[in-house]
Amino acid sequence: MRILLAAFLCVALACTSSSTATNTPPPAAKPVVAEVVDAGAPQPAPPIAEEDPWMWLEEIESEKSLAWVKERNAVSQKELEADPNYAPLNTRLKSIYDSKERIPGVTVLAGALYNFWKDEAHPRGLWRRTTLAEFKKPGSAAGAAGPKPSPKWEDVLDLDALGAAEKQSYVWKGATCFPPKYERCLVAISVGGSDAKEVREFDLVKKQFVVGGFMLPAAKSTFAWKNLDTLLVGTDFGPGTLTTSGYARQIKEWKRGTRLADAKVIAEGETTDVAMAVAHEFDHGKTRDWIYRSKTFFSDETWLLENEKLIKIDKPDDATVSAWNDQALIQLRSDWVINENIYKAGSLLSTSMASLKAGKRDFTVLFAPTPNTSLDGFAGTR
């Protein structure tokens, strides 16, 4: 006896809301009919799947896709600006973002305190630095007369001035500086805030870009110092060198004074991966070069690059590994069964880096979750 089951797929649309303005789903799908038949009965041919009418949006950089996004943004902007609360809220938030009373967050590099600052005079941002003594100047007491003392800042890189000189709308994407002197940096900027960023070598002593220095054209790149004259780089090296997500599939070693095209491949993933990535670490006087193959957004394979060899870290793909001095720290997202031991998801494990590289599994549990506690994060101190 045949049993006929019908399942109906309903898609709720909210095309005019700001949260879906750039991601409008396709029209509601037609009812899907599933047929269950007796075992041994002749099976009908599977239905031919209809082509997704929105597949062209996968070409995220195409003129058609970008035009569609602009149209959706225009709809959202018109609706938002029509709200009577829009103008006063916009004015109030802008005054907060441009306030001189904001506490500047700093990064310490070789004793100097660096800050990236935005205000009405520098909407694209100003990279600047000061000393610890200047930064520690006391403010005025509550109710006291007179202006509040502020640190004296030294301008390092004015992104608005750079954009004006080069006729581009640059957005700051950060700086990666080489330890321990931190005299050279890799500065990343993008045009209009795109994920694709351009990378240029910058001299922190002279406060200028290095003529003939390292430079990567705009791409979804990953990069790190290996030494002062060598970079580890993943970028768009040409056809077949990107994943389907548009990120680097290969990691190469690029030496100063040589062409990027001639850089040596030292690691590569699959086209179906999310990305390959690199990081250079300076910790307790030691340096480490990490290479990551992100197979999915929440899982990766991790290697240490030592003496021109890749050492794979033995861990679950969904676990993260980091180092503190000579210790390796592993944070678990799922249970890890080793012999008769079960390390629970959410645990933080420790072992010596030497043991981990040797494939040993003698862990100390630094934290284990309970029914009412979980690990939010951790940090290493001096």
Side-chain angles (χ1 to χ4, degrees), residues 293-355:
R293 176 195 171 196
S294 295
K295 295 191 288 186
T296 70
F297 194 79
F298 293 107
S299 65
D300 67 60
E301 294 178 348
T302 303
W303 291 270
L304 276 171
L305 177 61
E306 291 185 355
N307 301 319
E308 309 304 320
K309 295 182 179 180
L310 290 174
I311 302 173
K312 188 174 182 180
I313 300 300
D314 181 20
K315 70 173 185 65
D317 283 353
D318 63 351
T320 58
V321 61
S322 58
W324 182 90
N325 204 2
D326 63 348
Q327 296 292 300
L329 304 172
I330 296 181
Q331 189 171 358
L332 300 179
R333 285 198 180 102
S334 58
D335 290 354
W336 193 10
V337 181
I338 300 176
N339 298 326
E340 297 181 356
N341 295 320
I342 300 177
Y343 298 103
K344 301 297 293 182
S347 296
L348 179 64
L349 311 180
S350 172
T351 188
S352 73
M353 183 62 74
S355 293

Side-chain angles (χ1 to χ4, degrees), residues 17 24 32 41 45 50 56 71 77 94 96 101 103 123 130 133 136 148 191 200 210 258 278 306 356 366 379:
S17 71
T24 306
V32 178
E50 294 185 9
W56 55 272
E71 291 174 0
Q77 185 171 348
K94 190 173 186 302
I96 292 172
E101 299 301 314
I103 299 174
T130 190
K136 290 172 67 175
K148 179 179 179 179
V191 176
R200 306 181 191 181
V210 178
T258 65
V278 294
E306 291 185 355
L356 187 64
L366 300 183

